[in-house]
Amino acid sequence: MPRLFAARLLGRSLPLLLLLAACRPDTPATIAPPEAAAAPQQLRDDLGRTLTVPAHPRRIMALAASMTEMLYAVADTATIVARTQVCDYPAAALRKPVINSYPLDLERLVALKPDVVFTTTGITSEADAQRLQELGIPVYYQQYDKVEDIFRGLTDLGRILGRVPQARHLVDSLRAELRAVESLPKPSPASTVLAITWTDPIYVYGQNTLFTDKIRLAGGQNAVLEKFTQPYPALTREYILQLNPDIVLGGSFGKLDSTFFRLYPELKRIQAYQTRRIYDPTDDLMSRPGPRVVESVKELRGLIWSPPAP
């Protein structure tokens, strides 16, 4: 490079170099530390048990079929690591590994390393839950006495799993559907409904079960008004004769006529048998307190409004 050109270039660049040097900080730039990891969630479940769950659970599962349905309705389904042998809805659940729940396969469950396991009262024993807790796996119980409890449960799942908008949208939609059902005409007086869960001995849905609220919303009334200690009490034939229900749920007329009423012929005197108002509701809808609860209420309403046989 010719000396004259180099000198001119240096002369022109020197002020800029001096300016940049003046702007340079006296101390080296500091890099902001990465954001601290979110603190774990301190939760209290519906049994009043306290447990610690990661801020953002990435591996989850349920030990109750109803809660598996709820997880698929709210959670990121990629985070669901397994199902039980009775979890068959939605169809996508069938592609997940199976953990036996009766008896609970602790070894296989622990090997999956879930961040949290969800279940409901009456499905998982507290002894099994305690064992899982001791092995570092928190177990979160939910309990449902009314339909509103299911909506609350879905909302809780959204909060725990970081899926609040999804849960809110689902619950708002279900509440709107339920309001539409409640606005429909209802029979007066309300039909009394006896729902049978087992035939020998005779176990039924008691007053303190979710069924009572569902049948009320459908426009009927649980024939069992007395509150027993057990949610599904065993009733005598004499007690059922006194109830004299308008409707019996638990199987089709043909099936119960050849089994239940053959075993207890004196019960043919009840109103439900005389009018052939004996129906077989969808088992999953009756027994699972999940996101299909409004569908269950709609089905029950349809059965209540079915006319008596001539």
Side-chain angles (χ1 to χ4, degrees), residues 44-76:
R44 183 181 295 274
D45 67 14
D46 286 355
L47 294 186
R49 301 163 59 257
T50 57
L51 57 152
T52 302
V53 172
H56 306 290
R58 292 292 178 259
R59 298 180 64 80
I60 63 176
M61 69 166 294
L63 291 175
S66 58
M67 289 219 69
T68 292
E69 292 192 24
M70 293 174 80
L71 291 183
Y72 270 90
V74 172
D76 175 355

Side-chain angles (χ1 to χ4, degrees), residues 2 9 15 25 34 41 65-66 75 77 90 92 96 102 112 128 149-150 167-168 226 234 242 249 254 289 308:
L9 181 60
Q41 303 179 71
S66 58
T77 57
K96 299 291 183 178
Y102 307 112
L112 288 174
D128 281 342
D149 293 334
I150 296 175
R168 182 185 299 119
E226 182 179 352
Q242 290 179 1
L249 304 180

Side-chain angles (χ1 to χ4, degrees), residues 150-171:
I150 296 175
F151 298 158
R152 174 185 52 79
L154 289 165
T155 301
D156 285 347
L157 288 179
R159 174 177 51 82
I160 294 168
L161 301 176
R163 304 275 289 182
V164 171
Q166 291 84 351
R168 182 185 299 119
H169 176 76
L170 174 61
V171 170

Side-chain angles (χ1 to χ4, degrees), residues 131-150:
R131 179 62 177 146
L132 285 170
Q133 296 270 143
E134 293 169 356
L135 294 170
I137 299 174
V139 179
Y140 188 92
Y141 279 89
Q142 288 193 342
Q143 180 172 321
Y144 321 103
D145 298 319
K146 296 184 180 299
V147 170
E148 185 60 34
D149 293 334
I150 296 175

Side-chain angles (χ1 to χ4, degrees), residues 279-300:
Y279 307 115
D280 186 18
T282 305
D283 181 64
D284 288 353
L285 296 183
M286 276 288 288
S287 61
R288 295 183 184 178
R292 293 187 289 167
V293 63
V294 179
E295 186 179 342
S296 179
V297 172
K298 289 179 179 179
E299 181 182 59
L300 290 172

Side-chain angles (χ1 to χ4, degrees), residues 223-237:
V224 181
L225 298 177
E226 182 179 352
K227 284 190 176 181
F228 293 88
T229 304
Q230 297 296 326
Y232 303 95
L235 301 184
T236 64
R237 288 164 285 181

